[in-house]
Amino acid sequence: MNTLTPSITSTRTDTISDSMALYNTTALKCSKLITQHYSTSFTLGIQTLHKKLHFPIYAIYGYVRYADEIVDTFHDKDRATLLARFREDTFRAIEEKISTNPVIHSFQLAVERYSIEDELIEAFLNSMKMDLDKKEYSDNKYNEYIYGSAEVVGLMCLRVFCENDSELYDSLKAGARSLGAAFQKVNFLRDMKSDFDERGRVYFPDVDYSQFDSSAKLEIENDIQKDFDAAYEAILRLPKPSRMGVYLAYVYYLKLFNKIKQSSAQTILSERIRVPDSRKMFLLVESYVKHRLNYL
């Protein structure tokens, strides 16, 4: 067995060649590199998970990150064709248990190891497809988009955290969905200016960008707070190997959310609210101390 092979493949490497184990490792490290380059916050959170969970979560993030790049970045390309090909390659890789695309290959390793359902992947890719031409959202489409773009990603990660304990997974599903929804809605508020200026999108139903005011902002914030409250209860019941990492992501987004709440509607329309890196490090240390002292 190749000792460099991450734990995500440990149940398979006794029956495959060293060269295949090396390919698996290399593909997973590509997903890790993508995560590190695209999200310092997510990378920080993953580092606080138990080591055995690192590579499968990197695999999930790398996959969803690149799908998002197809629809949000490649504006001079045929994005619909690229996304359709990405989808086709994904399900072929899951069926054949191999892909020459390292991002898709590492993702299918996680899908196989942790029994991630096709329905979650389909819902995610459907939301990415909605981003190709959808500019305004009704209540139904907004909820559909939130489910596919964020809630199912939380459910994919929960599959990893529960390590094939279906009973535990079922008991935490609602909380995982709430946490994913809270994160996505905070992102929508934070990125409201760039989404409208660069892509012509307004995700929140019945919100007129030109008429966005404190009343509309407060209504959205109240909805987000309900998601955060529901998610916290589930975080406390997560297995210990994943609890601190998820809690760190929770407190980071809660800090960002509180900064947004303290900002005016006009500020939201004129700049992107951020949490400084120094503050992120403080949150990491604070979360670690609470974790070690069993305060979570």
mmCIF file of all heavy atoms in Angstrom, residues 170-204:
data_model
loop_
_atom_site.group_PDB
_atom_site.id
_atom_site.type_symbol
_atom_site.label_atom_id
_atom_site.label_comp_id
_atom_site.label_asym_id
_atom_site.label_seq_id
_atom_site.Cartn_x
_atom_site.Cartn_y
_atom_site.Cartn_z
ATOM 1 N N ASP A 170 -29.546 11.082 9.390
ATOM 2 C CA ASP A 170 -30.956 11.469 9.296
ATOM 3 C C ASP A 170 -31.347 12.444 10.410
ATOM 4 O O ASP A 170 -32.160 13.351 10.193
ATOM 5 C CB ASP A 170 -31.852 10.233 9.345
ATOM 6 C CG ASP A 170 -31.776 9.399 8.069
ATOM 7 O OD1 ASP A 170 -31.344 9.947 7.029
ATOM 8 O OD2 ASP A 170 -32.131 8.204 8.122
ATOM 9 N N SER A 171 -30.771 12.268 11.590
ATOM 10 C CA SER A 171 -31.119 13.136 12.721
ATOM 11 C C SER A 171 -30.537 14.535 12.590
ATOM 12 O O SER A 171 -31.026 15.468 13.233
ATOM 13 C CB SER A 171 -30.640 12.504 14.028
ATOM 14 O OG SER A 171 -29.227 12.582 14.162
ATOM 15 N N LEU A 172 -29.502 14.688 11.762
ATOM 16 C CA LEU A 172 -28.820 15.982 11.629
ATOM 17 C C LEU A 172 -29.092 16.678 10.298
ATOM 18 O O LEU A 172 -28.617 17.794 10.072
ATOM 19 C CB LEU A 172 -27.305 15.795 11.795
ATOM 20 C CG LEU A 172 -26.835 15.295 13.169
ATOM 21 C CD1 LEU A 172 -25.325 15.059 13.159
ATOM 22 C CD2 LEU A 172 -27.194 16.286 14.262
ATOM 23 N N LYS A 173 -29.858 16.030 9.414
ATOM 24 C CA LYS A 173 -30.093 16.582 8.076
ATOM 25 C C LYS A 173 -30.699 17.978 8.107
ATOM 26 O O LYS A 173 -30.248 18.876 7.385
ATOM 27 C CB LYS A 173 -31.017 15.647 7.278
ATOM 28 C CG LYS A 173 -30.328 14.462 6.651
ATOM 29 C CD LYS A 173 -31.321 13.535 5.957
ATOM 30 C CE LYS A 173 -31.957 14.201 4.747
ATOM 31 N NZ LYS A 173 -32.820 13.243 4.001
ATOM 32 N N ALA A 174 -31.709 18.181 8.913
ATOM 33 C CA ALA A 174 -32.392 19.478 8.944
ATOM 34 C C ALA A 174 -31.433 20.577 9.367
ATOM 35 O O ALA A 174 -31.422 21.670 8.793
ATOM 36 C CB ALA A 174 -33.599 19.419 9.880
ATOM 37 N N GLY A 175 -30.609 20.307 10.379
ATOM 38 C CA GLY A 175 -29.642 21.306 10.834
ATOM 39 C C GLY A 175 -28.588 21.621 9.790
ATOM 40 O O GLY A 175 -28.185 22.775 9.625
ATOM 41 N N ALA A 176 -28.131 20.584 9.075
ATOM 42 C CA ALA A 176 -27.135 20.797 8.019
ATOM 43 C C ALA A 176 -27.705 21.654 6.894
ATOM 44 O O ALA A 176 -27.023 22.529 6.351
ATOM 45 C CB ALA A 176 -26.665 19.454 7.467
ATOM 46 N N ARG A 177 -28.967 21.415 6.562
ATOM 47 C CA ARG A 177 -29.618 22.229 5.535
ATOM 48 C C ARG A 177 -29.733 23.682 5.992
ATOM 49 O O ARG A 177 -29.492 24.612 5.215
ATOM 50 C CB ARG A 177 -30.990 21.656 5.200
ATOM 51 C CG ARG A 177 -30.964 20.337 4.438
ATOM 52 C CD ARG A 177 -32.358 19.866 4.053
ATOM 53 N NE ARG A 177 -33.033 20.844 3.192
ATOM 54 C CZ ARG A 177 -34.237 20.655 2.670
ATOM 55 N NH1 ARG A 177 -34.899 19.535 2.920
ATOM 56 N NH2 ARG A 177 -34.792 21.586 1.906
ATOM 57 N N SER A 178 -30.102 23.885 7.258
ATOM 58 C CA SER A 178 -30.228 25.249 7.786
ATOM 59 C C SER A 178 -28.892 25.978 7.762
ATOM 60 O O SER A 178 -28.826 27.167 7.430
ATOM 61 C CB SER A 178 -30.776 25.215 9.216
ATOM 62 O OG SER A 178 -32.103 24.747 9.242
ATOM 63 N N LEU A 179 -27.810 25.273 8.106
ATOM 64 C CA LEU A 179 -26.496 25.907 8.112
ATOM 65 C C LEU A 179 -26.077 26.293 6.696
ATOM 66 O O LEU A 179 -25.584 27.398 6.464
ATOM 67 C CB LEU A 179 -25.468 24.964 8.725
ATOM 68 C CG LEU A 179 -24.081 25.572 8.973
ATOM 69 C CD1 LEU A 179 -24.158 26.716 9.968
ATOM 70 C CD2 LEU A 179 -23.103 24.499 9.472
ATOM 71 N N GLY A 180 -26.289 25.383 5.739
ATOM 72 C CA GLY A 180 -25.961 25.705 4.352
ATOM 73 C C GLY A 180 -26.770 26.878 3.843
ATOM 74 O O GLY A 180 -26.243 27.759 3.153
ATOM 75 N N ALA A 181 -28.051 26.913 4.197
ATOM 76 C CA ALA A 181 -28.912 28.025 3.776
ATOM 77 C C ALA A 181 -28.446 29.337 4.381
ATOM 78 O O ALA A 181 -28.408 30.365 3.702
ATOM 79 C CB ALA A 181 -30.361 27.736 4.174
ATOM 80 N N ALA A 182 -28.093 29.316 5.673
ATOM 81 C CA ALA A 182 -27.620 30.534 6.334
ATOM 82 C C ALA A 182 -26.371 31.065 5.649
ATOM 83 O O ALA A 182 -26.260 32.272 5.364
ATOM 84 C CB ALA A 182 -27.344 30.259 7.811
ATOM 85 N N PHE A 183 -25.417 30.181 5.373
ATOM 86 C CA PHE A 183 -24.177 30.605 4.711
ATOM 87 C C PHE A 183 -24.463 31.224 3.346
ATOM 88 O O PHE A 183 -23.908 32.278 3.002
ATOM 89 C CB PHE A 183 -23.237 29.407 4.537
ATOM 90 C CG PHE A 183 -22.612 28.899 5.804
ATOM 91 C CD1 PHE A 183 -21.817 27.761 5.794
ATOM 92 C CD2 PHE A 183 -22.819 29.539 7.016
ATOM 93 C CE1 PHE A 183 -21.231 27.280 6.949
ATOM 94 C CE2 PHE A 183 -22.237 29.066 8.193
ATOM 95 C CZ PHE A 183 -21.448 27.930 8.151
ATOM 96 N N GLN A 184 -25.326 30.580 2.575
ATOM 97 C CA GLN A 184 -25.608 31.072 1.228
ATOM 98 C C GLN A 184 -26.310 32.422 1.269
ATOM 99 O O GLN A 184 -25.981 33.335 0.481
ATOM 100 C CB GLN A 184 -26.461 30.054 0.471
ATOM 101 C CG GLN A 184 -26.739 30.401 -0.978
ATOM 102 C CD GLN A 184 -25.490 30.357 -1.843
ATOM 103 O OE1 GLN A 184 -24.594 31.205 -1.687
ATOM 104 N NE2 GLN A 184 -25.418 29.413 -2.759
ATOM 105 N N LYS A 185 -27.265 32.587 2.156
ATOM 106 C CA LYS A 185 -27.998 33.850 2.243
ATOM 107 C C LYS A 185 -27.095 34.986 2.711
ATOM 108 O O LYS A 185 -27.227 36.130 2.254
ATOM 109 C CB LYS A 185 -29.206 33.693 3.161
ATOM 110 C CG LYS A 185 -30.279 32.764 2.602
ATOM 111 C CD LYS A 185 -31.340 32.412 3.642
ATOM 112 C CE LYS A 185 -32.300 31.357 3.150
ATOM 113 N NZ LYS A 185 -33.283 30.940 4.193
ATOM 114 N N VAL A 186 -26.179 34.681 3.621
ATOM 115 C CA VAL A 186 -25.190 35.693 4.030
ATOM 116 C C VAL A 186 -24.328 36.078 2.828
ATOM 117 O O VAL A 186 -24.036 37.261 2.602
ATOM 118 C CB VAL A 186 -24.318 35.178 5.189
ATOM 119 C CG1 VAL A 186 -23.127 36.114 5.435
ATOM 120 C CG2 VAL A 186 -25.145 35.060 6.464
ATOM 121 N N ASN A 187 -23.925 35.079 2.047
ATOM 122 C CA ASN A 187 -23.150 35.374 0.831
ATOM 123 C C ASN A 187 -23.936 36.270 -0.117
ATOM 124 O O ASN A 187 -23.377 37.188 -0.731
ATOM 125 C CB ASN A 187 -22.794 34.073 0.111
ATOM 126 C CG ASN A 187 -21.703 33.292 0.803
ATOM 127 O OD1 ASN A 187 -20.964 33.827 1.631
ATOM 128 N ND2 ASN A 187 -21.587 32.017 0.493
ATOM 129 N N PHE A 188 -25.225 36.003 -0.259
ATOM 130 C CA PHE A 188 -26.056 36.822 -1.145
ATOM 131 C C PHE A 188 -26.076 38.287 -0.694
ATOM 132 O O PHE A 188 -25.990 39.198 -1.522
ATOM 133 C CB PHE A 188 -27.494 36.300 -1.181
ATOM 134 C CG PHE A 188 -27.680 35.011 -1.929
ATOM 135 C CD1 PHE A 188 -28.838 34.270 -1.756
ATOM 136 C CD2 PHE A 188 -26.723 34.536 -2.805
ATOM 137 C CE1 PHE A 188 -29.043 33.079 -2.447
ATOM 138 C CE2 PHE A 188 -26.905 33.353 -3.507
ATOM 139 C CZ PHE A 188 -28.071 32.617 -3.315
ATOM 140 N N LEU A 189 -26.199 38.505 0.614
ATOM 141 C CA LEU A 189 -26.189 39.881 1.130
ATOM 142 C C LEU A 189 -24.818 40.520 0.948
ATOM 143 O O LEU A 189 -24.706 41.669 0.519
ATOM 144 C CB LEU A 189 -26.569 39.889 2.613
ATOM 145 C CG LEU A 189 -28.040 40.059 2.971
ATOM 146 C CD1 LEU A 189 -28.216 40.036 4.485
ATOM 147 C CD2 LEU A 189 -28.602 41.366 2.418
ATOM 148 N N ARG A 190 -23.778 39.772 1.283
ATOM 149 C CA ARG A 190 -22.413 40.294 1.158
ATOM 150 C C ARG A 190 -22.080 40.647 -0.287
ATOM 151 O O ARG A 190 -21.433 41.669 -0.558
ATOM 152 C CB ARG A 190 -21.417 39.233 1.668
ATOM 153 C CG ARG A 190 -19.956 39.645 1.586
ATOM 154 C CD ARG A 190 -19.053 38.425 1.724
ATOM 155 N NE ARG A 190 -19.272 37.463 0.637
ATOM 156 C CZ ARG A 190 -18.743 36.251 0.616
ATOM 157 N NH1 ARG A 190 -17.995 35.821 1.624
ATOM 158 N NH2 ARG A 190 -18.977 35.430 -0.404
ATOM 159 N N ASP A 191 -22.531 39.806 -1.228
ATOM 160 C CA ASP A 191 -22.165 39.964 -2.637
ATOM 161 C C ASP A 191 -23.256 40.633 -3.461
ATOM 162 O O ASP A 191 -23.246 40.549 -4.690
ATOM 163 C CB ASP A 191 -21.846 38.595 -3.251
ATOM 164 C CG ASP A 191 -20.684 37.903 -2.561
ATOM 165 O OD1 ASP A 191 -19.843 38.603 -1.975
ATOM 166 O OD2 ASP A 191 -20.638 36.666 -2.599
ATOM 167 N N MET A 192 -24.181 41.290 -2.814
ATOM 168 C CA MET A 192 -25.333 41.845 -3.518
ATOM 169 C C MET A 192 -24.905 42.817 -4.621
ATOM 170 O O MET A 192 -25.435 42.791 -5.736
ATOM 171 C CB MET A 192 -26.257 42.555 -2.533
ATOM 172 C CG MET A 192 -27.660 42.781 -3.070
ATOM 173 S SD MET A 192 -28.790 43.263 -1.747
ATOM 174 C CE MET A 192 -30.316 43.421 -2.673
ATOM 175 N N LYS A 193 -23.938 43.654 -4.337
ATOM 176 C CA LYS A 193 -23.464 44.631 -5.321
ATOM 177 C C LYS A 193 -22.831 43.938 -6.526
ATOM 178 O O LYS A 193 -23.179 44.230 -7.681
ATOM 179 C CB LYS A 193 -22.455 45.582 -4.690
ATOM 180 C CG LYS A 193 -21.911 46.644 -5.650
ATOM 181 C CD LYS A 193 -20.911 47.543 -4.939
ATOM 182 C CE LYS A 193 -20.495 48.704 -5.849
ATOM 183 N NZ LYS A 193 -19.848 48.230 -7.109
ATOM 184 N N SER A 194 -21.889 43.017 -6.286
ATOM 185 C CA SER A 194 -21.195 42.368 -7.405
ATOM 186 C C SER A 194 -22.135 41.468 -8.202
ATOM 187 O O SER A 194 -22.030 41.388 -9.432
ATOM 188 C CB SER A 194 -19.993 41.571 -6.895
ATOM 189 O OG SER A 194 -20.396 40.554 -6.003
ATOM 190 N N ASP A 195 -23.059 40.779 -7.512
ATOM 191 C CA ASP A 195 -24.012 39.932 -8.238
ATOM 192 C C ASP A 195 -24.856 40.763 -9.204
ATOM 193 O O ASP A 195 -25.131 40.325 -10.330
ATOM 194 C CB ASP A 195 -24.934 39.206 -7.255
ATOM 195 C CG ASP A 195 -24.294 37.966 -6.650
ATOM 196 O OD1 ASP A 195 -23.390 37.401 -7.282
ATOM 197 O OD2 ASP A 195 -24.693 37.575 -5.540
ATOM 198 N N PHE A 196 -25.254 41.963 -8.766
ATOM 199 C CA PHE A 196 -26.080 42.806 -9.638
ATOM 200 C C PHE A 196 -25.234 43.504 -10.707
ATOM 201 O O PHE A 196 -25.582 43.488 -11.892
ATOM 202 C CB PHE A 196 -26.823 43.849 -8.806
ATOM 203 C CG PHE A 196 -27.777 44.678 -9.624
ATOM 204 C CD1 PHE A 196 -29.020 44.169 -9.983
ATOM 205 C CD2 PHE A 196 -27.427 45.955 -10.056
ATOM 206 C CE1 PHE A 196 -29.897 44.924 -10.752
ATOM 207 C CE2 PHE A 196 -28.296 46.716 -10.817
ATOM 208 C CZ PHE A 196 -29.542 46.191 -11.175
ATOM 209 N N ASP A 197 -24.115 44.090 -10.303
ATOM 210 C CA ASP A 197 -23.277 44.854 -11.244
ATOM 211 C C ASP A 197 -22.641 43.968 -12.307
ATOM 212 O O ASP A 197 -22.565 44.341 -13.480
ATOM 213 C CB ASP A 197 -22.177 45.604 -10.496
ATOM 214 C CG ASP A 197 -22.705 46.757 -9.667
ATOM 215 O OD1 ASP A 197 -23.884 47.123 -9.848
ATOM 216 O OD2 ASP A 197 -21.947 47.295 -8.837
ATOM 217 N N GLU A 198 -22.168 42.787 -11.909
ATOM 218 C CA GLU A 198 -21.402 41.939 -12.815
ATOM 219 C C GLU A 198 -22.252 40.884 -13.521
ATOM 220 O O GLU A 198 -21.909 40.436 -14.618
ATOM 221 C CB GLU A 198 -20.274 41.241 -12.039
ATOM 222 C CG GLU A 198 -19.272 42.220 -11.418
ATOM 223 C CD GLU A 198 -18.287 41.533 -10.489
ATOM 224 O OE1 GLU A 198 -18.155 40.285 -10.582
ATOM 225 O OE2 GLU A 198 -17.651 42.223 -9.678
ATOM 226 N N ARG A 199 -23.366 40.475 -12.895
ATOM 227 C CA ARG A 199 -24.140 39.367 -13.449
ATOM 228 C C ARG A 199 -25.614 39.696 -13.615
ATOM 229 O O ARG A 199 -26.366 38.891 -14.149
ATOM 230 C CB ARG A 199 -23.980 38.122 -12.561
ATOM 231 C CG ARG A 199 -22.517 37.729 -12.344
ATOM 232 C CD ARG A 199 -22.372 36.617 -11.312
ATOM 233 N NE ARG A 199 -20.957 36.432 -10.975
ATOM 234 C CZ ARG A 199 -20.361 37.013 -9.950
ATOM 235 N NH1 ARG A 199 -21.047 37.788 -9.133
ATOM 236 N NH2 ARG A 199 -19.079 36.803 -9.713
ATOM 237 N N GLY A 200 -26.044 40.857 -13.128
ATOM 238 C CA GLY A 200 -27.442 41.254 -13.246
ATOM 239 C C GLY A 200 -28.385 40.427 -12.400
ATOM 240 O O GLY A 200 -29.587 40.361 -12.661
ATOM 241 N N ARG A 201 -27.871 39.787 -11.336
ATOM 242 C CA ARG A 201 -28.673 38.896 -10.515
ATOM 243 C C ARG A 201 -29.127 39.567 -9.227
ATOM 244 O O ARG A 201 -28.376 40.309 -8.603
ATOM 245 C CB ARG A 201 -27.883 37.648 -10.122
ATOM 246 C CG ARG A 201 -27.472 36.744 -11.248
ATOM 247 C CD ARG A 201 -26.713 35.558 -10.679
ATOM 248 N NE ARG A 201 -25.992 34.827 -11.722
ATOM 249 C CZ ARG A 201 -24.876 34.148 -11.507
ATOM 250 N NH1 ARG A 201 -24.353 34.118 -10.302
ATOM 251 N NH2 ARG A 201 -24.279 33.515 -12.501
ATOM 252 N N VAL A 202 -30.355 39.260 -8.836
ATOM 253 C CA VAL A 202 -30.855 39.564 -7.499
ATOM 254 C C VAL A 202 -31.535 38.295 -7.013
ATOM 255 O O VAL A 202 -32.596 37.916 -7.508
ATOM 256 C CB VAL A 202 -31.852 40.747 -7.493
ATOM 257 C CG1 VAL A 202 -32.377 40.981 -6.080
ATOM 258 C CG2 VAL A 202 -31.186 42.015 -8.013
ATOM 259 N N TYR A 203 -30.916 37.620 -6.061
ATOM 260 C CA TYR A 203 -31.421 36.324 -5.621
ATOM 261 C C TYR A 203 -32.656 36.429 -4.746
ATOM 262 O O TYR A 203 -33.531 35.558 -4.794
ATOM 263 C CB TYR A 203 -30.330 35.565 -4.864
ATOM 264 C CG TYR A 203 -29.224 35.029 -5.739
ATOM 265 C CD1 TYR A 203 -27.984 35.657 -5.812
ATOM 266 C CD2 TYR A 203 -29.416 33.877 -6.511
ATOM 267 C CE1 TYR A 203 -26.965 35.157 -6.606
ATOM 268 C CE2 TYR A 203 -28.410 33.363 -7.308
ATOM 269 C CZ TYR A 203 -27.175 34.016 -7.357
ATOM 270 O OH TYR A 203 -26.179 33.518 -8.153
ATOM 271 N N PHE A 204 -32.738 37.455 -3.903
ATOM 272 C CA PHE A 204 -33.843 37.538 -2.943
ATOM 273 C C PHE A 204 -35.161 37.839 -3.659
ATOM 274 O O PHE A 204 -35.249 38.793 -4.432
ATOM 275 C CB PHE A 204 -33.555 38.612 -1.903
ATOM 276 C CG PHE A 204 -32.322 38.335 -1.078
ATOM 277 C CD1 PHE A 204 -31.194 39.126 -1.219
ATOM 278 C CD2 PHE A 204 -32.295 37.279 -0.176
ATOM 279 C CE1 PHE A 204 -30.050 38.871 -0.470
ATOM 280 C CE2 PHE A 204 -31.159 37.017 0.568
ATOM 281 C CZ PHE A 204 -30.029 37.816 0.426
#
